[in-house]
Amino acid sequence: MLVAAAVCPCPPLLVPEVAAGAAPELDAARAACTDALGVLAAARPDRLVVVGPAEENGRGPHPEGAHGSFRGFGVDLDVRLGGNGRQNGTEPSSDADGRVLPASLAVATWLLGRTGWSAAPVEGLGVGEPLAAERCADVGRQIAAGPERLALLVMGDSSACRTLKAPGYLDERAAGFDAEVARALGTADVSALQALDAGLAYELKASGRAPWQVLAGAAQGADLDGTLLYEDAPYGVGYLIATWS
């Protein structure tokens, strides 16, 4: 039973060590993420599942204790899902099958460690970008099945095409897409999230589409209210932070 959800963006730039001199530019986003995680803790969940976009080798479940790293971004910083989150100065270990956390879940793990998350056990789920909408919803329904109190931390960015200097260059469709996602997340509109066009999301480089649709599946029948905490497009990428409770 889903009792609360938080939606956060997943750029590694949220981690100040990665952003370096540009770190203050995302201070407001970090503060909103902290507020969103506070809503999750206040819901007193029995379990927290972190859902985020993943490349092929990061898809599927990641157990508590799984490791991630920001070394690929030139930072000597490793994280561990659960516990205090942060593990500096040691090489990250991997899951039993040799995988480490995808970048989106590593950012989520850093956020959880930053806030000292201890409200419930944590596990991760990496979702592939091509996963069809109905399959995403099925995954969400499976996660939320059962009587335990479930919270979701859903990671993903909106379009990356808001400006000429954006990673995907300027696409005139991006602003409208982002506005509809912001409205849906801010009002907990499950149907609108489920109806997002996967092809358009791919063209706009919106990494959050599949995780948002997992949320939509998990939230069916939960009767949650939504609140939009943050909406901006620094660097031409849409970042949205919302809570459902």
Side-chain angles (χ1 to χ4, degrees), residues 10-28:
C10 59
L13 289 174
L14 276 179
V15 180
E17 292 93 329
V18 175
E25 296 177 14
L26 290 181
D27 279 348

Side-chain angles (χ1 to χ4, degrees), residues 15 19 26-27 39 53 80 86-87 105 108 124 141 143 147 159 167-168 188-189 212 214-215 220 236-237:
V15 180
L26 290 181
D27 279 348
V39 171
R80 180 172 60 85
R86 180 180 290 247
Q87 290 197 330
L105 300 191
R141 286 189 286 266
I143 293 172
S159 75
D189 190 335
W212 298 330
V214 171
L215 168 60
Q220 287 177 357
V237 181

Side-chain angles (χ1 to χ4, degrees), residues 159 161 171 173-174 176-177 196-206 209:
S159 75
C161 303
D171 190 313
R173 301 170 296 174
F177 177 89
L196 289 175
D197 186 324
L200 177 60
Y202 177 79
E203 292 174 9
L204 296 177
K205 302 183 183 300
R209 190 275 306 173

